[in-house]
Amino acid sequence: MRSSSSYILFISLIILHYVSCQLQPSQLTTMNNLHKLLQTNTNNSKWNSSQDLSNPCSWTGVACTPNGSSIINLSLSSFSLSDVDSSWSSLVCQIETLRSLELSNNNLASIPPLLLSSCDDSLEVLNLNFSSNGLTGLLTSFLSGFRSLQVLDLSHNWFEGGIPERITEYRNISLLDLSYNRLNGSIPTGIDQLSNLQQLILSFNNLTGEIPPSISNITSLKQFAANYNRFTGQIPNDIGQLIGLEQLLLYANHLTGEIPNSITRITTLKCFSANQNGFTGVIPQGITRYLSNLDLSYNNLNGLIPSDLLSQLNLLTVDLSFNSLEGYIPVNASKSLFRLRLGSNWLRGEIPVWSSGNDTPSLAYLELGYNDLSGLIPPELRLYKNLSLWDLSHNNLTGSVPRELGDLNRLQGVQLDHNRLSGEIPSEIGGLEILVNLNMSWNLLSGSIPPSLSRLKMLTNLDLQVNNLSGQIPDSFGSMDKLLELQLGGNKLSGVIRSLPTKLKIALNLSSNSFTGPIPDSLNRLTSLEVLDLSNNRFSGGIPSFLTQMPSLTQILLSNNLLTGLVPRFNPNVIVSYGGNTNLSFPPSNQPAKTVSVGIVVASTAAVVVLMVVTIVAVIVSRKIHRVNDNEESHHSSQPEVVKSRLLTLNEIYRTNLDFTKVMKRASYASSVVLKTSLGTCLDWNNRYIIAFGVANGLAFLHGCPPGPIILLDLSSKGIMLKSLNEAQIGDIELSKVIDPSKST
């Protein structure tokens, strides 16, 4: 009897469990209808015919309660939803147990009205994500319901207008992300009414005004991101009241004043980025006491670097470049420090030695260029085995290049240019197997070029110009297959050139040396070379006709040599200089005056277009400067890349301070030259202005695209197409996705 009862109980439990694990019939019907609708109306539904229609809880993006009876989370991210048919929204509203709805990465231009009406009445949604769509209009139209929201993500859209005061009524919200929109106006003064707010993300908008002091009252705040806006004024003095703040991102604004000392009291703060502003005064003592990442670059800070700034145990990255800091570099630095940028200040003294013992420091990026540092390069730098970028350029360093440099086998970039270094180039450098960029130009280096440099198989840019180097170019240089640029001008090199790297593309500069013999036949293989400078040497013989067949050549300088014979006919787009060769002769159609005039026309036309585009772009997107910030990358981020001989680090920036008076004078002069040719009658000044303005607006649009900036490898007249003389269009968009960067400069 007992056995029979136990059996019945066991069967009952199984049945009960089976029944309880079944999705409610109404939700099962709703989900199958939604499945059918999305299969019919979208081309990218993640719910295909292989889905188990009897168990929606197993579908992609669907999450149910533990017993499987109710749907609580629904993600339709990347389902190609659009405004063409929004009937799916009425089905979503029928899932009364829904607590999280994600609709990111779709093609919605507006929020379906049913979601704002029916869903708000029937659902208690806590998490709502509409990021990365094409939503337009004002936020006011959206903020009319869902008062129970805890997470609201409307980032990467096209919302305009201000942040409405109504946002302060969402008292339960913990995450508010409005970044990457077109919002303007100021932050509501009553923002502190959101007492549960933990993440406030307002980056990449056009917000103005001051950061309200009331924000210091939101003690629950962990992340405040207001970067890339137009905020003015100062950081609130009471910012230190945010005792749980972990990340404070204020970079790329118009903030001024001093950095408040209260920031140093936030024990939880790990990342503080306030670069690209107008901060003045000194750096507060103890600012890095709790930080992992500090970026105060591109400001007007002055005074000394606090003695304890680099020595904090948890410190990973520090960027103080492009300020007016004075004095000496602190003598103590944390072994955890991964990236240090102190370039473009007024720092003096010697480079400190931060390492002792056998421990390997973490430092991988060291940038001290554009200062007033003096003394020797310390050989102890050999202990920095993790160094990837080493920039000591534009200082007053003396002595020799330490041979210990060859021990740093992780180096990809070495910049020692514009110092007073002497002695020979160490042959040990040839052991840096992954070195990409080597610049030792504008020093006092002597001796011959070590043949071991040809072992640098990854090297793309080699710049040794303006030194006292002598001897010949090593024959082994012909094996450097990755080299794109070779700068050897302004030395004492001599002899006959027998071998050159065959893949040079950017430039070959052998000017102002003592090379003799004919122009080498090895140049014939440089079919992708753009600039060739052989001027101010003792080359003799004729100008080879193969130079006229180099398709990528834009400029060739042959002046002040001993060349003789007939000058071959170059493409009119190539700027040719051959003055100072007294025994050259010219055919009637290739007189020097005509060649020079073509060069003037090409150069002046380019100057007009470039100057106008730069001027207008500077006005339209003066604050939209692309920059990769330390706070957006971990300290294990990727290695630096080399582009056109300029070493770009993960924290590089491009900025220009334009003197518009000088710009307009140059533009006026250039235009006067251009308007004197046949070109002036083809394109008048008004059309040029309209075209330049159209290009500038195109660039501004590409930079601010909601999904993120679009890559445009090169902007030149060849890539500008005219729909009419009043409408310019930018071509060659995102070619980087289909070409090999090593095949083009």
Side-chain angles (χ1 to χ4, degrees):
M1 186 72 176
R2 179 177 298 178
S3 174
S4 176
S5 300
S6 300
Y7 177 78
I8 294 173
L9 178 60
F10 176 73
I11 295 299
S12 300
L13 289 174
I14 292 178
I15 294 173
L16 181 62
H17 174 76
Y18 177 78
V19 171
S20 64
C21 288
Q22 293 299 303
L23 193 63
Q24 299 176 24
S26 59
Q27 292 192 9
L28 180 60
T29 301
T30 298
M31 291 299 292
N32 280 308
N33 289 338
L34 183 60
H35 179 284
K36 182 178 180 181
L37 180 67
L38 294 179
Q39 283 288 99
T40 303
N41 294 345
T42 68
N43 297 321
N44 193 32
S45 174
K46 296 182 179 179
W47 296 344
N48 51 44
S49 57
S50 64
Q51 301 286 345
D52 182 3
L53 298 182
S54 65
N55 185 19
C57 294
S58 65
W59 298 357
T60 302
V62 179
C64 299
T65 55
N67 62 7
S69 62
S70 303
I71 296 173
I72 53 175
N73 298 333
L74 177 61
S75 173
L76 299 179
S77 178
S78 303
F79 269 62
S80 297
L81 300 177
S82 66
D83 297 339
V84 176
D85 186 355
S86 60
S87 57
W88 54 267
S89 59
S90 61
L91 293 172
V92 169
C93 292
Q94 296 175 19
I95 309 173
E96 68 281 357
T97 57
L98 197 62
R99 295 295 176 264
S100 176
L101 177 59
E102 183 169 340
L103 298 167
S104 61
N105 291 296
N106 283 295
N107 303 315
L108 299 172
S110 61
I111 298 175
L114 284 173
L115 278 179
L116 297 178
S117 56
S118 300
C119 279
D120 184 36
D121 296 334
S122 59
L123 305 181
E124 187 180 355
V125 176
L126 305 179
N127 185 338
L128 193 55
N129 187 342
F130 272 96
S131 64
S132 300
N133 278 280
L135 299 174
T136 59
L138 304 177
L139 283 179
T140 308
S141 60
F142 176 80
L143 298 176
S144 60
F146 300 106
R147 296 301 173 86
S148 300
L149 277 177
Q150 295 177 0
V151 174
L152 177 59
D153 190 347
L154 300 177
S155 63
H156 293 273
N157 281 292
W158 298 95
F159 284 113
E160 297 178 324
I163 302 175
E165 291 285 343
R166 187 181 298 173
I167 194 69
T168 60
E169 299 174 6
Y170 287 72
R171 303 297 174 84
N172 296 322
I173 202 162
S174 62
L175 184 154
L176 177 61
D177 191 348
L178 303 177
S179 61
Y180 290 92
N181 279 285
R182 293 178 170 181
L183 300 174
N184 52 39
S186 58
I187 299 175
T189 55
I191 193 72
D192 58 334
Q193 296 180 42
L194 303 179
S195 57
N196 294 315
L197 192 60
Q198 296 183 20
Q199 295 175 273
L200 178 58
I201 307 173
L202 306 175
S203 312
F204 291 91
N205 279 289
N206 295 308
L207 298 171
T208 57
E210 298 187 358
I211 298 173
S214 59
I215 205 165
S216 301
N217 298 328
I218 312 176
T219 55
S220 60
L221 200 60
K222 293 183 178 180
Q223 180 188 16
F224 178 41
N227 49 295
Y228 278 103
N229 279 285
R230 293 186 289 166
F231 289 116
T232 56
Q234 302 183 11
I235 299 176
N237 282 327
D238 294 332
I239 195 78
Q241 294 179 186
L242 299 177
I243 56 175
L245 193 64
E246 298 175 359
Q247 191 177 62
L248 179 58
L249 307 181
L250 303 176
Y251 59 90
N253 279 288
H254 302 293
L255 298 171
T256 55
E258 297 187 357
I259 296 172
N261 282 304
S262 63
I263 286 181
T264 66
R265 299 196 297 268
I266 307 177
T267 61
T268 55
L269 191 61
K270 300 302 178 186
C271 180
F272 176 39
S273 291
N275 45 293
Q276 300 179 59
N277 280 288
F279 290 113
T280 56
V282 300
I283 300 174
Q285 189 81 23
I287 193 170
T288 57
R289 188 175 303 149
Y290 308 107
L291 288 177
S292 296
N293 304 93
L294 173 66
D295 192 343
L296 299 177
S297 61
Y298 290 90
N299 280 291
N300 298 312
L301 299 170
N302 53 41
L304 306 178
I305 299 176
S307 59
D308 66 338
L309 189 137
L310 302 180
S311 60
Q312 305 304 325
L313 295 178
N314 296 320
L315 200 59
L316 300 177
T317 66
V318 171
D319 191 346
L320 303 178
S321 59
F322 291 90
N323 279 286
S324 298
L325 300 172
E326 301 173 323
Y328 302 97
I329 299 174
V331 296
N332 295 316
S334 171
K335 293 180 181 178
S336 65
L337 190 61
F338 179 78
R339 180 184 294 117
L340 177 61
R341 302 186 73 233
L342 301 177
S344 298
N345 281 287
W346 299 104
L347 301 175
R348 64 184 187 276
E350 297 184 352
I351 299 173
V353 178
W354 293 307
S355 179
S356 61
N358 297 321
D359 293 335
T360 301
S362 301
L363 196 64
Y365 300 85
L366 177 61
E367 299 177 61
L368 305 177
Y370 290 89
N371 278 291
D372 196 23
L373 300 175
S374 58
L376 306 177
I377 299 175
E380 289 82 359
L381 283 176
R382 70 180 184 278
L383 300 175
Y384 290 76
K385 301 294 186 181
N386 294 314
L387 267 182
S388 178
L389 169 65
W390 199 34
D391 184 359
L392 305 179
S393 64
H394 292 266
N395 280 289
N396 289 310
L397 299 174
T398 56
S400 61
V401 178
R403 296 188 178 277
E404 292 80 0
L405 177 62
D407 296 336
L408 306 179
N409 56 15
R410 294 189 181 183
L411 275 172
Q412 291 195 40
V414 173
Q415 294 179 247
L416 301 176
D417 54 288
H418 291 84
N419 280 287
R420 292 187 290 136
L421 300 172
S422 57
E424 297 186 350
I425 299 174
S427 60
E428 288 81 356
I429 292 179
L432 303 178
E433 296 181 354
I434 62 172
L435 191 67
V436 175
N437 179 292
L438 176 60
N439 191 339
M440 294 184 174
S441 63
W442 295 87
N443 278 288
L444 303 172
L445 299 173
S446 59
S448 59
I449 300 175
S452 63
L453 294 187
S454 62
R455 291 159 46 198
L456 302 174
K457 299 303 182 182
M458 301 302 294
L459 198 68
T460 62
N461 302 82
L462 176 59
D463 193 343
L464 302 177
Q465 63 181 315
V466 192
N467 278 288
N468 294 317
L469 299 173
S470 58
Q472 297 184 334
I473 299 176
D475 291 344
S476 57
F477 269 32
S479 64
M480 302 177 73
D481 292 337
K482 293 291 181 67
L483 201 64
L484 303 179
E485 179 180 25
L486 179 59
Q487 298 280 354
L488 299 177
N491 280 287
K492 298 178 180 179
L493 300 172
S494 60
V496 177
I497 299 172
R498 290 187 290 266
S499 180
L500 287 170
T502 59
K503 300 296 178 63
L504 290 175
K505 295 182 180 181
I506 299 173
L508 171 61
N509 177 9
L510 304 179
S511 65
S512 300
N513 281 286
S514 298
F515 290 114
T516 58
I519 294 177
D521 291 338
S522 56
L523 293 176
N524 190 28
R525 296 192 291 271
L526 306 183
T527 56
S528 300
L529 189 66
E530 296 180 5
V531 176
L532 173 63
D533 190 350
L534 303 178
S535 63
N536 298 291
N537 278 286
R538 304 190 64 190
F539 287 111
S540 58
I543 299 176
S545 59
F546 66 73
L547 292 178
T548 65
Q549 306 300 317
M550 297 172 68
S552 298
L553 206 61
T554 61
Q555 186 177 20
I556 179 170
L557 292 85
L558 303 173
S559 56
N560 298 316
N561 277 286
L562 304 174
L563 299 172
T564 60
L566 191 67
V567 175
R569 181 172 298 155
F570 285 89
N571 188 306
N573 295 326
V574 180
I575 300 174
V576 185
S577 171
Y578 30 58
N581 292 279
T582 57
N583 293 319
L584 288 177
S585 59
F586 304 89
S589 60
N590 195 25
Q591 293 298 326
K594 182 173 182 180
T595 303
V596 173
S597 66
V598 170
I600 292 176
V601 170
V602 173
S604 57
T605 303
V608 171
V609 175
V610 170
L611 285 172
M612 291 187 65
V613 171
V614 167
T615 302
I616 299 171
V617 169
V619 174
I620 295 178
V621 289
S622 60
R623 298 306 296 174
K624 298 292 184 183
I625 305 169
H626 175 61
R627 187 176 190 271
V628 185
N629 290 275
D630 284 334
N631 54 73
E632 294 173 351
E633 298 287 343
S634 71
H635 69 284
H636 295 296
S637 51
S638 58
Q639 303 291 349
E641 61 176 324
V642 175
V643 181
K644 291 190 177 179
S645 82
R646 175 74 182 264
L647 190 74
L648 306 181
T649 73
L650 293 172
N651 221 350
E652 191 61 75
I653 183 174
Y654 294 94
R655 170 177 282 186
T656 179
N657 295 318
L658 292 175
D659 184 330
F660 286 96
T661 303
K662 293 181 180 179
V663 167
M664 292 313 298
K665 285 182 179 179
R666 290 177 63 186
S668 176
Y669 170 76
S671 65
S672 67
V673 175
V674 174
L675 291 174
K676 290 179 182 178
T677 69
S678 56
L679 291 179
T681 59
C682 296
L683 203 61
D684 61 32
W685 185 255
N686 184 59
N687 289 130
R688 295 172 195 224
Y689 175 83
I690 294 173
I691 291 170
F693 196 84
V695 172
N697 274 297
L699 290 175
F701 171 78
L702 294 177
H703 187 90
C705 277
I710 289 177
I711 295 176
L712 179 62
L713 286 181
D714 184 32
L715 178 67
S716 66
S717 58
K718 295 179 181 178
I720 304 301
M721 295 166 284
L722 299 181
K723 195 171 183 179
S724 70
L725 286 181
N726 294 323
E727 188 174 357
Q729 297 178 332
I730 300 177
D732 298 344
I733 302 299
E734 298 222 279
L735 280 182
S736 60
K737 293 183 176 179
V738 295
I739 67 173
D740 181 353
S742 67
K743 299 294 192 296
S744 173
T745 58

